[in-house]
Amino acid sequence: MAMKHEFSLAYAQELDASDSLNRFRSRFLFPQHEGRAAVYFTGNSLGLQPVSTRDYVLQELNDWQTFGVEGHFEAKNPWFSYHEMFAKPLAKLCGAKEKEVVAMGSLTNNLHLLMVSFYRPDAKRNKIICEKKAFPSDTYALQSQIRFHSFDYREALIEIAPREGEYTIHEDDILAAIELHKDSLALVMIGGVNYFTGQVFDMQKITRAAHDAGAFCGWDLAHGIGNIELKLHEWQVDFAAWCSYKYLNSSPGSVAGMFVHEKHLNNPAIPRFEGWWGTDPQTRFLMEDTFRPMDSAWAWQLSNAPVLTMAAHKAALDIFEEAGFENLRTKMRVMNSYLDFVLDEIIRMKGAGKMEIITPRKAEERGCQVSLVFPGRGKELFTALTQKGVIADWREPNVVRIAPVPLYNSIEDIYRFGEILMEIL
Ligand SMILES: *Cc1c(COP(=O)(O)O)cnc(C)c1O
């Protein structure tokens, strides 16, 4: 986006004044630093608490108090069908059909459940392609799934690394690996947005290549959902999973979610680990021995809904609905444009050797997050940022991640960050 920017507080405030989503900032609770809101740039790690969350959770506590067990059917939002309220907003965020998504479980749990269905290796096809330095939980999940099937992950897990001296991964290297291993490949499972660099992958292209090789393709969207535009149905993605406490602001460890493509629903050839909440609700309380799967991703649900965390999830998704994801995407492009300008200013003033931006610049290869490396500086730089009221995060060995999010961050936040960083450098 070719915009001519200025590095000044007045200019930043002017941009904020013309932002139609500005009003949403006051709907969130900010950690305070020296009497004012901190510059909160860790929405990619734990989103802020919406002001409304307390009331949504209180509603369920009150209904529990009033109705006891009858709340399953008598509560304002009956707990028996509580998860059904998420079909619409999650389908929108994922670019999916309502029956392809479900709010349930936790991210790593869901990845395991999905691999039970979509990673069924045999002597010929047992390899999984993933990115090198995936989020550790994903790596452990992948390794343990391979071990569970009595294969050796040192042979079966193919990790695609950035090239020598680089931080991001060449998509061509992923495609080449898929081609190379096509006769033994069972699954491709990658983070759609890399947690370390913020790099966004072309999920459609990689999914197609995996399918051409005869493998399934699934995506970890922990850093994707609520951040970038997703079209999981159209892209023919087999499955995906995410957590809701990052860009979705749904409270620490809150209920997660998953996507299963329509083509795999109600397909007896795709096995599952099953529980009573995956059965047809009409017959669920008949307590029969026969599992009658729901004709949707809900068939993967094991347990009854964790209503308190789902209430927080509902509060957060209602705000997304109100703001409109398209509007948020538009604002993100303005924020990224200003952030790039500010970072370039810093590099211009302080010298190119002082800071390196490792996140791709191209709009289609990035979301809200920008990862920064400061050659010759260590964690002390990050500590100085914290002391001056910037809440960012540090990833070993040398990366500072920042993620200004359109829902509650402002252009002024970016200006203040730039000013503080300029001073520290
Ligand atoms: C945040 C994150 C997780 C966390 O997993 P939980 O099961 O929610 O603890 C896993 N994978 C990725 C890629 C993440 O970004």
Side-chain angles (χ1 to χ4, degrees):
M1 187 172 292
M3 285 178 86
K4 204 163 155 30
H5 294 301
E6 279 172 37
F7 187 52
S8 78
L9 180 61
Y11 175 82
Q13 288 175 337
E14 204 178 296
L15 272 190
D16 283 332
S18 66
D19 164 26
S20 64
L21 297 177
N22 204 355
R23 65 202 155 93
F24 285 95
R25 184 175 169 88
S26 63
R27 309 268 293 271
F28 288 85
L29 300 167
F30 283 74
Q32 300 292 301
H33 177 80
E34 293 175 358
R36 65 192 289 198
V39 175
Y40 194 81
F41 278 176
T42 36
N44 57 341
S45 189
L46 181 68
L48 286 181
Q49 179 184 156
V51 176
S52 56
T53 300
R54 192 173 297 260
D55 283 340
Y56 279 65
V57 174
L58 265 179
Q59 173 78 44
E60 303 315 324
L61 290 175
N62 288 339
D63 283 353
W64 182 18
Q65 177 178 351
T66 308
F67 300 113
V69 71
E70 302 298 337
H72 280 297
F73 297 98
E74 302 299 327
K76 177 166 176 255
N77 303 306
W79 307 326
F80 180 74
S81 48
Y82 206 92
H83 62 277
E84 293 178 13
M85 294 189 292
F86 298 99
K88 202 178 214 164
L90 288 179
K92 246 195 237 178
L93 287 172
C94 291
K97 297 192 172 181
E98 290 185 23
K99 64 164 146 175
E100 292 174 318
V101 292
V102 58
M104 63 174 272
S106 67
L107 171 54
T108 307
N109 277 313
N110 292 351
L111 288 175
H112 275 299
L113 288 175
L114 288 162
M115 281 193 271
V116 162
S117 298
F118 294 100
Y119 178 60
R120 287 175 296 130
D122 57 29
K124 182 164 180 293
R125 280 190 184 271
N126 53 54
K127 288 188 181 145
I128 304 179
I129 285 180
C130 70
E131 75 274 41
K132 179 124 187 118
K133 253 166 103 18
F135 194 90
S137 200
D138 300 43
T139 305
Y140 306 148
L142 290 163
Q143 290 178 354
S144 60
Q145 283 281 336
I146 292 170
R147 277 203 314 268
F148 175 74
H149 290 284
S150 307
F151 291 96
D152 183 346
Y153 71 81
R154 284 162 302 190
E155 285 162 22
L157 193 59
I158 311 296
E159 299 177 307
I160 313 302
R163 292 182 191 171
E164 185 68 34
E166 297 183 9
Y167 287 95
T168 52
I169 296 172
H170 287 252
E171 224 147 61
D172 287 347
D173 293 350
I174 298 175
L175 299 173
I178 292 174
E179 175 64 23
L180 180 67
H181 297 284
K182 67 175 185 253
D183 295 329
S184 54
L185 190 62
L187 177 66
V188 175
M189 198 182 96
I190 300 177
V193 180
N194 183 272
Y195 84 99
F196 191 69
T197 61
Q199 178 181 18
V200 175
F201 292 103
D202 185 335
M203 291 181 236
Q204 184 172 27
K205 196 191 259 179
I206 293 169
T207 300
R208 193 181 298 137
H211 289 168
D212 288 348
F216 286 125
C217 188
W219 295 90
D220 182 327
L221 297 175
H223 285 263
I225 195 159
N227 176 18
I228 61 164
E229 187 177 22
L230 299 168
K231 294 183 177 169
L232 300 183
H233 178 82
E234 186 186 320
W235 296 341
Q236 296 290 323
V237 164
D238 295 298
F239 68 89
W242 54 85
C243 51
S244 67
Y245 49 80
K246 291 174 178 167
Y247 292 99
L248 294 185
N249 314 314
S250 298
S251 83
S254 186
V255 66
M258 64 157 80
F259 162 93
V260 180
H261 198 278
E262 188 177 31
K263 65 190 168 195
H264 301 306
L265 302 176
N266 234 349
N267 176 359
I270 303 282
R272 280 177 303 262
F273 281 176
E274 295 170 342
W276 72 322
W277 234 247
T279 61
D280 180 355
Q282 303 303 323
T283 56
R284 188 174 300 151
F285 282 152
L286 298 180
M287 304 297 192
E288 294 175 329
D289 284 347
T290 313
F291 185 87
R292 296 174 203 275
M294 294 179 73
D295 175 27
S296 63
W298 299 358
W300 272 259
Q301 285 186 112
L302 299 181
S303 302
N304 71 98
V307 165
L308 293 185
T309 80
M310 279 190 170
H313 195 26
K314 180 84 170 68
L317 291 186
D318 282 353
I319 301 176
F320 266 88
E321 284 283 286
E322 193 186 333
F325 196 54
E326 266 311 299
N327 299 331
L328 290 165
R329 295 275 305 150
T330 304
K331 177 171 170 185
M332 188 194 81
R333 286 189 281 273
V334 176
M335 292 180 93
N336 279 348
S337 163
Y338 192 63
L339 180 61
D340 284 1
F341 164 78
V342 166
L343 294 174
D344 285 340
E345 272 299 282
I346 293 174
I347 289 170
R348 194 175 62 81
M349 307 268 291
K350 299 292 172 184
K354 285 275 167 55
M355 178 170 78
E356 196 183 335
I357 302 164
I358 65 171
T359 304
R361 288 270 177 143
K362 279 198 228 146
E364 64 275 20
E365 290 178 24
R366 66 194 284 195
C368 295
Q369 177 182 326
V370 169
S371 300
L372 304 169
V373 170
F374 299 91
R377 301 288 296 260
K379 202 171 176 190
E380 101 325 307
L381 177 138
F382 171 73
T383 307
L385 278 171
T386 310
Q387 281 163 354
K388 290 181 185 300
V390 174
I391 304 183
D393 87 7
W394 172 259
R395 282 287 175 267
E396 295 293 344
N398 60 348
V399 165
V400 173
R401 303 187 308 172
I402 55 169
V405 304
L407 202 45
Y408 52 72
N409 284 122
S410 60
I411 300 289
E412 183 177 336
D413 283 338
I414 296 172
Y415 170 77
R416 281 172 63 196
F417 170 77
E419 201 183 38
I420 290 166
L421 186 56
M422 194 83 92
E423 197 183 311
I424 292 172
L425 289 177

